[in-house]
Amino acid sequence: MPDKQANRWSAEIEAVYLRDGREIWALLYAQCSDSDRAYDALQEAFVRLQSQEIESIRNIRAWVLTVAQNWLRDYARRQNHAARPADYLDSIVGKPSDPSEGLENLERNSRVRLALQQLRAEDREVLVLRYALGWSSKRMSIALNTSTSAIDMRLSRSRKRLCEELEKVGIDHETV
């Protein structure tokens, strides 16, 4: 009997990982700007999930996200690391045909990254959920355990702060 329960629980964990793992990783990446560290946090949360009683967790996805975010915060405190830019992301976009266009893109991307790093983690989080993952306000409110109107307000304020930071680094937010 214990093997059946363990197998059911393992299958449920795997289903959550397959369904939500990428999006949780993206949220973690937005928080720390390090893909390997975000992946480590995700793995740690799922390892800890395996030792939990299934009945004690109402929302597995939210539980995993919270545990992983706490792990990242603890890691940052232990290591005294700040978020770092991931310069290799510029190469993923593709190579422009004109070399001067490529240099302009690199410079703009660097400035946008600098502006994003100046934002609070909460601001980056909602911006990533909306613009990188395409989440609706309703979906974000469920994941972040808050109201839709609170999410809309956070998005509005986050966009405003990003525009201000973009102006500081010399970028018109309309061109981004």
Side-chain angles (χ1 to χ4, degrees):
M1 196 68 156
D3 287 336
K4 280 186 177 182
Q5 186 175 11
N7 288 338
R8 182 177 65 89
W9 186 223
S10 294
E12 192 163 345
I13 290 173
E14 184 177 356
V16 170
Y17 183 81
L18 292 173
R19 184 185 67 234
D20 299 325
R22 179 185 172 277
E23 291 177 353
I24 294 172
W25 174 87
L27 289 169
L28 299 170
Y29 178 77
Q31 187 173 345
C32 70
S33 299
D34 183 324
S35 62
D36 291 334
R37 192 173 313 137
Y39 185 67
D40 289 344
L42 182 65
Q43 282 184 316
E44 181 64 28
F46 274 96
V47 166
R48 291 181 186 182
L49 179 61
Q50 289 179 325
S51 66
Q52 295 296 310
E53 292 291 326
I54 190 169
E55 294 80 19
S56 67
I57 301 173
R58 284 187 296 153
N59 183 334
I60 295 172
R61 184 185 185 288
W63 187 93
V64 168
L65 180 59
T66 300
V67 169
Q69 287 175 325
N70 289 340
W71 185 90
L72 280 176
R73 279 192 273 283
D74 291 344
Y75 179 87
R77 277 189 216 116
R78 286 189 312 268
Q79 301 299 317
N80 196 20
H81 285 127
R84 298 174 309 183
D87 294 326
Y88 71 91
L89 288 177
D90 294 335
S91 65
I92 295 173
V93 176
K95 304 206 185 298
S97 57
D98 180 20
S100 64
E101 183 181 326
L103 288 174
E104 288 174 15
N105 286 342
L106 284 174
E107 176 64 25
R108 185 180 65 245
N109 289 345
S110 176
R111 289 181 181 189
V112 169
R113 188 177 297 107
L114 179 63
L116 284 167
Q117 287 175 342
Q118 301 308 311
L119 297 176
R120 298 179 316 181
E122 297 82 20
D123 290 337
R124 283 193 308 270
E125 180 179 48
V126 293
L127 291 171
V128 165
L129 288 173
R130 173 59 55 92
Y131 298 107
L133 298 177
W135 282 21
S136 67
S137 296
K138 181 172 175 80
R139 186 170 183 188
M140 284 191 280
S141 70
I142 293 167
L144 299 175
N145 197 26
T146 189
S147 69
T148 303
S149 59
I151 291 295
D152 290 338
M153 182 60 70
R154 280 177 64 184
L155 274 168
S156 175
R157 290 178 179 164
S158 297
R159 284 189 292 254
K160 183 178 183 220
R161 285 191 273 268
L162 179 59
C163 287
E164 290 168 359
E165 292 299 328
L166 288 170
E167 287 176 7
K168 287 180 186 177
V169 295
I171 293 181
D172 177 19
H173 69 276
E174 298 292 327
T175 63
V176 178

